[in-house]
């Protein structure tokens, strides 16, 4: 089976892969006990595993959650204690920058290990500015916008104060996202705020106006609107954002979430669960309406119950990454969370409470199949193979060509690689965790249910 690569057919520029510190960093950031295998504190080891290029998988993007302040008030209903967050505001215009210290520690440790881009994102405005005094809607409040227009500016000033504080401390904040998954009603369980599309535009316009008053933040862009499902209202939110020239000046891409959640109805309607179909249609619409606006995928996780450490969830993750890079044309791809404490298919690393230990998943390693080998600034190039069970994503920079190949099947797949005489292979499967070997010739066997990275130096 021949892998075909066309280095002259190029697409988007690769800008990186990352994850958020939401709901775990405020816990793990306090784990100072020693990981005996490395001699580092557990918190430092986890940061190294996630963001070090040499000793970890080398992600380059960290998403820090500017919290709504539920911890301080004790108000609200949350399914897990960690879903209630701190905020820096003590009273209007007065801040305690020692708050949320564990989460801030993990953000800064990620930067120390190699993260060169920090995104500050907000699930809910701080409680003082919400209509009901909570960081989510009450149970009976359906499609209720929980912040008044009169508070938009004060909300923006608060977020920009936080942003400026971190920038002044040397944190490489590149983006501020003031709205997260505005399509959901957010009646509890976690912090969140519903917005109609037009309201999102109004919020962003106020943020843009306030951003222009801050010369210290001239290198910070806005990002959004981070709608919560690929199928619903992405066009509506995107259209509203991009119709505003004021917003366009401070927005260099459209950020979307890549969920396609199963529709909870008794009748099976395949159209509603056709993820690839929705990805194609959104990409086609963007290419037609806004051909010069890149798309970034800012949140996804495998929405399935139970902990999965193995290749089942890893193959799903790698397949979605393939779809988002090759069909959606995403320049950036981000996991919802880096670390998980619950019995769910999310995170790259699981932590165990109260033991305060951690375990690595195959999702972690298949993410490394991308992050450790694809250079920032590389161009995606055309690559294909005549086998529906084999998915190929290819990138090329000045020095090397990199293929990430997913074999979804239960059988081996012999392939011919169109490279020079020598190449490096890194394999993640049931028995391998980014296991590297050097190969010669042009033949390669893809292991069953595996993700394989192939790298060769460009000639000339």
């Amino acid at each position: 089976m021949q892998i075909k690569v066309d280095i002259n057919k190029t697409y988007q520029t690769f800008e990186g892969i990352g994850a958020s510190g939401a709901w775990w960093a405020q816990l793990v950031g306090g784990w100072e006990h020693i990981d005996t295998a490395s001699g580092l504190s557990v918190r430092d080891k986890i940061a190294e595993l996630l963001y070090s290029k040499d000793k970890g998988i080398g992600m380059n993007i960290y998403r820090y959650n500017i919290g709504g302040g539920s911890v301080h008030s004790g108000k609200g209903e949350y399914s897990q204690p960690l879903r209630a967050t701190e905020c820096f505001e003590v009273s209007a215009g007065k801040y305690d920058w020692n708050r949320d210290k564990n989460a801030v520690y993990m953000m800064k440790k990620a930067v120390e290990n190699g993260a060169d881009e920090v995104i500050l994102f907000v699930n809910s405005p701080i409680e003082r500015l919400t209509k009901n005094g909570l960081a989510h809607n009450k149970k009976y409040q359906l499609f209720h916008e929980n912040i008044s227009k009169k508070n938009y500016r004060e909300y923006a000033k608060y977020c920009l104060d936080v942003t400026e504080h971190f920038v002044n401390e040397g944190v490489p904040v590149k983006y501020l996202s003031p709205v997260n998954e505005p399509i959901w009603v957010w009646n509890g369980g976690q912090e969140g705020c519903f917005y109609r599309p037009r309201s999102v535009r109004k919020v962003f316009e106020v943020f843009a106006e306030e951003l222009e008053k801050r010369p210290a933040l001239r290198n910070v862009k806005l990002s959004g609107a981070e709608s919560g499902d690929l199928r619903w209202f992405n066009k509506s939110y995107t259209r509203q954002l991009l119709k505003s020239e004021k917003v366009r000046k401070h927005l260099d891409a459209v950020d979307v979430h890549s969920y396609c959640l199963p529709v909870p109805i008794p009748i099976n309607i395949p159209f509603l669960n056709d993820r690839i179909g929705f990805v194609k249609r959104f990409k086609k619409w963007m290419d037609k309406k806004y051909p010069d606006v890149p798309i970034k995928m800012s949140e996804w996780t495998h929405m399935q119950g139970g902990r999965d450490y193995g290749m089942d969830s890893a193959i799903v993750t790698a397949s979605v990454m393939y779809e988002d890079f090759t069909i959606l044309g995403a320049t950036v791809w981000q996991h919802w969370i880096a670390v998980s404490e619950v019995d769910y298919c999310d995170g790259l690393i699981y932590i165990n409470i109260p033991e305060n230990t951690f375990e690595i998943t195959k999702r972690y390693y298949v993410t490394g199949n991308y992050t450790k080998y694809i250079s920032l600034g590389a161009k995606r190039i055309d690559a294909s193979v005549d086998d529906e069970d084999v998915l190929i994503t290819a990138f090329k920079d000045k020095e090397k060509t990199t293929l990430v190949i997913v074999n979804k099947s239960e059988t081996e797949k012999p392939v011919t690689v169109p490279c020079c005489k020598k190449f490096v292979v890194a394999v993640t499967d049931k028995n391998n965790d980014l296991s590297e070997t050097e190969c010669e010739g042009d033949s390669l066997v893809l292991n069953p249910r595996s993700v394989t990275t192939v790298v060769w130096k460009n000639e000339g």
Side-chain angles (χ1 to χ4, degrees), residues 152 155-156 159-160 176 178 203-211 222:
Y152 286 177
Y155 172 42
C159 291
L160 291 170
L176 171 61
V203 169
F204 271 75
E205 285 178 336
V206 172
F207 269 75
E209 291 168 0
E210 292 299 318
L211 190 57
L222 299 176

Side-chain angles (χ1 to χ4, degrees), residues 246-265:
K246 189 181 298 183
V247 174
R248 286 286 292 270
K249 287 172 57 180
H250 300 279
L251 197 77
D252 63 6
V254 168
D255 287 65
V256 301
H257 290 182
S258 203
Y259 299 110
C260 184
L261 306 178
V263 178
I265 56 178

Side-chain angles (χ1 to χ4, degrees), residues 66-127:
I66 301 178
S70 305
V71 165
H72 311 299
S73 70
K75 297 186 296 184
E77 297 182 9
Y78 298 97
S79 57
Q80 302 289 335
L82 291 175
R83 296 187 179 190
T85 65
E86 298 186 44
C87 74
F88 297 105
E89 185 184 85
V90 178
S91 59
K94 295 183 180 180
Y95 305 120
D96 180 357
W97 298 116
N98 291 315
R99 286 183 170 183
D100 208 24
K101 63 179 182 179
N102 290 345
V104 171
Y105 180 90
M106 293 307 297
M107 171 178 64
K108 292 181 175 179
K109 205 66 184 179
V111 172
E112 182 181 317
N113 275 279
D116 60 3
E117 179 178 311
V118 170
I119 301 168
L120 306 182
F121 76 100
V122 186
N123 289 328
S124 166
I126 53 177
E127 289 180 329

Side-chain angles (χ1 to χ4, degrees), residues 21-67:
W23 306 345
W24 63 269
Q26 65 265 47
L27 174 67
V28 173
W31 286 6
E32 300 182 41
H33 55 288
I34 299 300
D35 169 54
T36 55
S38 65
L40 299 174
S41 65
V42 171
R43 64 182 183 177
D44 288 359
K45 182 58 182 177
I46 288 176
E48 181 182 81
L49 284 168
L50 294 168
Y51 287 95
S52 170
K53 199 79 169 181
D54 298 324
K55 298 180 180 180
I57 59 172
M59 293 192 298
N60 71 301
I61 302 172
Y62 188 93
R63 286 170 62 84
Y64 172 84
N65 180 217
I66 301 178

Side-chain angles (χ1 to χ4, degrees), residues 22-23 131 210 267 270-271 289 334 350 427 455-456 459:
W23 306 345
K131 291 179 180 178
E210 292 299 318
I267 303 173
F271 169 78
K289 298 290 186 179
Q334 296 173 76
Y350 284 122
V427 179
V455 183
W456 67 82
E459 295 180 344

